[in-house]
Amino acid sequence: MTSEPARGPVDATTTNAWGSLTELSKNLRPDLRGWFAADPDRAQRLSYQAADLHVDLSKNLLTDEVLATLVALADEVRLTERRDAMFAGEHINVTEDRAVLHTALRRPSDEPLTVDGQDIAADVADELAKVYAFAEKVRSGEWTGVTGEPVRTIVNIGIGGSDLGPVMAYEALEPYVQDGLEVRFVSNIDPTDVAQKTADLDPTTTLFIVASKTFGTLETLTNARLARDWLWRSLVAAGAIEDSEDGRSDAVAKHFVAVSTALDKVAAFGIDPENAFGFWDWVGGRYSVDSAIGTSLAVAIGPDAFAEFLGGFHAMDEHFRTTPLEHNVPVLMGLLNVWYVNFRDAHTHAVLPYAQQLHRFPAYLQQLTMESNGKSVRWDGTPVTTETGEVFWGEPGTNGQHAFYQLIHQGTRTIPADFIAVANPAYPLRDADADVHGLFLANFFAQTKALAFGKTADEVRAEGVAEDLVSAKVFSGNRPTTSILAPALTPSVLGQLVALYEHITFVQGVVWGIDSFDQWGVELGKKLALEIAPAVAGDEAALAAQDPSTAALIAKYRELRS
């Protein structure tokens, strides 16, 4: 198919549903205790299945009328039309005139898809086959370094989506990593990052993956050069190569590969373009973990498990694409976020995985959600008419319980929270006769119960608490939560979770009328950094060109730098 011009966004605030939601919110007096007492089937009615994920929305500040009106809002802003346009490859990323086809990365290879005259399905299958062949070479020991030793450590060098996705997935799927292999991740341009990640490595068994689509990202290329210098020095010191141009060239060829489409720049760095894995401009960085950006993960867990990972994405894609809106989990969760942001004055959203392996998942979602929906203009260039976006944050339970849950339970702000858990742990350990995972999940169940139903003053008094302490020990309840429960943290389940939040983010963007797939807001700071760098290095003319505050800070830095 060919691209179709994107229709302008519907101003959600002009819809009938928006007006109804405004009135419903004004009149809503949340009473989760009362709602559950009056409706014994509430939990069953407001729980849904999406692939392997059981999702309970019943503890949200939600009535049947609110839910029906949110679904009506989705209809009025033409959500299904926009969704179908995305899956079909229309150029819904209008500011960059691009299709948005991360979903094509996980389609079965026998499902044809042609966009802008290009056989997308064949392109994806070919690149994936190339990644899998490389992964098997490394895993089998066929790929060796300059001394003939197999790879034992892979260092992924990237930033943003080229780091957050792979490191999150690697940590989540650690039980699936092949014995004898380790992946480390370097992203920060702070030289401490690359120094610490390489400090104890054996250069003869280390392989670097430089992940940068354009092979021009400042942080990534700086770290890649630092890693290359470390490799050369270390191999020379070990007597593994001669300190010569040929020796250095051979080292890079055998210890570096790239994820990039800029093959000329890859070759100039010293990497054989045959060892470069590409992806396409219709894949945004924060949507790219299931592309060649996931090469380090594919090596670590193997092609079979990576294929299961992709299958999980696709299962959630199909749920989102085919399920009626009133039972569609990403749609309902996205609409609930709109409800809280635009009608219930919520500014943040907590993601609380009760699974240690998901400890990087909240950080991953920060880029996915805030880079996508942190916008103040709509996709036609006009100003937004609503508040957009929310601050996503979180930590694994039970760590967070001993840190910030006080604010969620008894603070003055509404903080919707998603609780995520798995029934079967990777490490089913016992403490004497106690199942430790059962104890862990008792906290998962207890926290959402406490947030929903709280504790009244009379219940506190009944515990014998002195009257002057009663108010401090009252919990208001009516704190909204969503519970997501999966059988186990398999590659498929992880793919489902990531795709779930991708589509939640999409739904919110459609309601707000924004382009969730560009990220112009990150460009200005990067451009200014390049302009300021000469001043930091000592260029007086560049320093004089700065504003007074920036100039003073740079001067102080230069004074303090020993």
Side-chain angles (χ1 to χ4, degrees):
M1 65 161 293
T2 57
S3 169
E4 297 291 337
R7 294 176 67 181
V10 175
D11 182 348
T13 66
T14 66
T15 63
N16 292 329
W18 194 273
S20 297
L21 288 166
T22 301
E23 290 304 310
L24 286 169
S25 182
K26 284 180 182 177
N27 297 321
L28 185 71
R29 300 294 178 267
D31 182 13
L32 284 168
R33 283 193 182 208
W35 293 346
F36 273 91
D39 180 7
D41 295 328
R42 179 179 173 88
Q44 285 70 35
R45 287 191 307 100
L46 295 177
S47 292
Y48 306 84
Q49 194 72 25
D52 293 317
L53 306 183
H54 175 81
V55 180
D56 180 357
L57 302 181
S58 66
K59 294 189 183 77
N60 280 280
L61 307 184
L62 188 65
T63 65
D64 290 344
E65 190 175 8
V66 169
L67 182 61
T69 310
L70 286 169
V71 172
L73 175 65
D75 281 329
E76 289 192 79
V77 298
R78 302 195 295 256
L79 173 63
T80 56
E81 176 186 305
R82 188 81 168 165
R83 177 197 64 191
D84 294 346
M86 178 179 72
F87 277 94
E90 295 181 23
H91 286 206
I92 65 168
N93 179 354
V94 294
T95 68
E96 297 177 297
D97 191 21
R98 293 175 179 173
V100 175
L101 280 172
H102 48 281
T103 56
L105 298 168
R106 53 261 194 159
R107 287 165 59 100
S109 59
D110 59 355
E111 293 185 5
L113 178 64
T114 300
V115 175
D116 298 335
Q118 190 67 28
D119 188 342
I120 300 297
D123 289 349
V124 171
D126 289 347
E127 203 63 35
L128 191 59
K130 187 177 177 182
V131 169
Y132 285 171
F134 170 71
E136 291 289 15
K137 282 184 179 180
V138 175
R139 290 167 64 82
S140 68
E142 180 182 347
W143 182 289
T144 61
V146 291
T147 63
E149 290 289 311
V151 172
R152 297 188 182 90
T153 306
I154 298 161
V155 180
N156 187 93
I157 302 175
I159 199 166
S162 300
D163 170 77
L164 287 165
V167 70
M168 176 277 294
Y170 175 77
E171 295 287 339
L173 299 178
E174 176 271 335
Y176 294 85
V177 174
Q178 178 172 293
D179 289 344
L181 275 179
E182 178 193 5
V183 184
R184 299 183 183 185
F185 296 86
V186 171
S187 58
N188 200 332
I189 199 173
D190 182 337
T192 304
D193 197 10
V194 69
Q196 290 182 336
K197 298 292 173 54
T198 58
D200 61 343
L201 293 183
D202 179 349
T204 67
T205 60
T206 299
L207 176 70
F208 293 93
I209 299 176
V210 184
S212 172
K213 183 190 294 187
T214 63
F215 219 73
T217 307
L218 173 65
E219 297 90 344
T220 299
L221 268 294
T222 300
N223 281 328
R225 289 190 294 269
L226 292 174
R228 185 177 59 182
D229 290 344
W230 170 86
L231 181 73
W232 286 338
R233 289 195 313 272
S234 301
L235 289 175
V236 168
I241 63 170
E242 294 183 358
D243 189 7
S244 66
E245 185 175 340
D246 286 345
R248 291 190 291 271
S249 177
D250 189 39
V252 173
K254 293 183 177 178
H255 291 268
F256 274 83
V257 300
V259 178
S260 178
T261 53
L263 298 185
D264 55 339
K265 295 179 182 178
V266 168
F269 187 87
I271 298 172
D272 185 345
E274 288 297 312
N275 297 324
F277 310 99
F279 56 112
W280 303 269
D281 64 6
W282 40 258
V283 182
R286 57 194 176 276
Y287 298 91
S288 66
V289 66
D290 47 347
S291 72
I293 287 294
T295 296
S296 58
L297 179 66
V299 174
I301 67 175
D304 289 346
F306 195 84
E308 292 178 23
F309 181 51
L310 298 181
F313 276 95
H314 183 64
M316 187 59 66
D317 291 345
E318 286 300 284
H319 173 87
F320 178 55
R321 188 178 68 85
T322 64
T323 304
L325 299 187
E326 61 269 21
H327 301 292
N328 192 308
V329 171
V331 169
L332 295 177
M333 291 182 68
L335 293 171
L336 270 173
N337 289 355
V338 170
W339 170 242
Y340 291 127
V341 169
N342 296 119
F343 300 96
R344 305 302 299 176
D345 197 31
H347 300 276
T348 78
H349 192 114
V351 178
L352 309 170
Y354 277 67
Q356 180 61 28
Q357 291 163 251
L358 288 173
H359 71 106
R360 293 293 291 165
F361 193 57
Y364 173 78
L365 293 184
Q366 286 175 347
Q367 185 193 24
L368 173 64
T369 61
M370 292 194 281
E371 192 167 271
S372 294
N373 287 341
K375 311 288 173 61
S376 56
V377 297
R378 301 189 298 168
W379 74 67
D380 63 355
T382 60
V384 297
T385 58
T386 66
E387 296 291 333
T388 66
E390 65 261 73
V391 176
F392 269 70
W393 57 283
E395 281 286 325
T398 55
N399 298 24
Q401 293 175 204
H402 293 265
F404 52 76
Y405 276 40
Q406 171 66 42
L407 178 65
I408 302 178
H409 277 286
Q410 289 186 308
T412 59
R413 301 182 183 277
T414 298
I415 303 176
D418 298 345
F419 284 72
I420 304 170
V422 299
N424 296 287
Y427 302 102
L429 302 179
R430 303 189 69 83
D431 179 19
D433 293 331
D435 172 12
V436 177
H437 190 66
L439 176 62
F440 182 40
L441 288 207
N443 284 271
F444 169 84
F445 300 122
Q447 289 297 326
T448 60
K449 180 176 182 177
L451 288 163
F453 306 121
K455 182 183 286 189
T456 67
D458 287 344
E459 288 170 337
V460 174
R461 292 187 184 99
E463 294 175 347
V465 174
E467 188 61 33
D468 60 342
L469 292 179
V470 167
S471 61
K473 296 193 174 186
V474 167
F475 290 72
S476 67
N478 296 316
R479 309 286 177 136
T481 64
T482 293
S483 296
I484 302 172
L485 186 61
L489 191 54
T490 63
S492 176
V493 163
L494 181 63
Q496 293 167 38
L497 281 169
V498 175
L500 170 64
Y501 280 91
E502 287 178 347
H503 299 319
I504 289 168
T505 301
F506 173 84
V507 169
Q508 292 177 254
V510 173
V511 174
W512 291 326
I514 58 180
D515 183 347
S516 297
F517 302 100
D518 62 14
Q519 59 278 338
W520 299 108
V522 305
E523 299 300 323
L524 179 59
K526 290 160 63 175
K527 179 177 181 292
L528 290 178
L530 293 174
E531 295 175 1
I532 289 172
V536 177
D539 185 323
E540 296 302 327
L543 181 65
Q546 305 305 316
D547 66 90
S549 174
T550 303
L553 286 168
I554 294 171
K556 176 56 69 173
Y557 160 77
R558 285 164 51 175
E559 174 190 330
L560 294 173
R561 179 68 186 266
S562 57

